[in-house]
């Protein structure tokens, strides 16, 4: 997966975005949401080089970055 991250990284990012949203909605899951946000930052960083050639990946990374900045982590 590491050598083909562009193929699978978007799926991971979307999964993490959904899990973070679910954790934010559930009382008591703030610590888990914070941990998942850290993982999302790593995934977004790995996807960053592909944003130059793929508009969908660029929008996804922008969505990830916005969530990370909103959460302040």
């Amino acid at each position: 997966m590491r050598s083909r991250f562009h193929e699978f990284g978007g799926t991971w990012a979307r999964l993490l975005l959904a899990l973070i949203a679910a954790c934010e909605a559930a009382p008591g899951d703030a610590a888990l949401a914070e941990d998942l946000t850290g993982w999302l930052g790593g995934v977004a960083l790995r996807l960053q080089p592909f944003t130059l050639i793929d508009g969908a990946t660029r929008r996804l990374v922008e969505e990830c970055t916005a969530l990370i900045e909103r959460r302040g982590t």
Side-chain angles (χ1 to χ4, degrees):
M1 185 172 102
R2 185 178 349 181
S3 62
R4 295 175 30 197
F5 196 77
H6 181 244
E7 293 178 48
F8 303 107
T11 301
W12 282 110
R14 286 187 290 280
L15 174 66
L16 289 167
L17 286 167
L19 288 171
I20 291 165
C23 288
E24 288 179 329
D29 284 343
L32 181 55
E34 184 176 338
D35 186 48
L36 292 171
T37 302
W39 280 99
L40 181 63
V43 170
L45 184 65
R46 294 276 315 271
L47 286 172
Q48 189 68 38
F50 303 106
T51 63
L52 300 172
I53 58 172
D54 184 355
T57 300
R58 181 175 50 253
R59 289 185 294 279
L60 179 59
V61 169
E62 289 170 352
E63 182 180 354
C64 294
T65 302
L67 183 135
I68 293 166
E69 288 174 356
R70 180 177 57 79
R71 292 195 44 81
T73 54

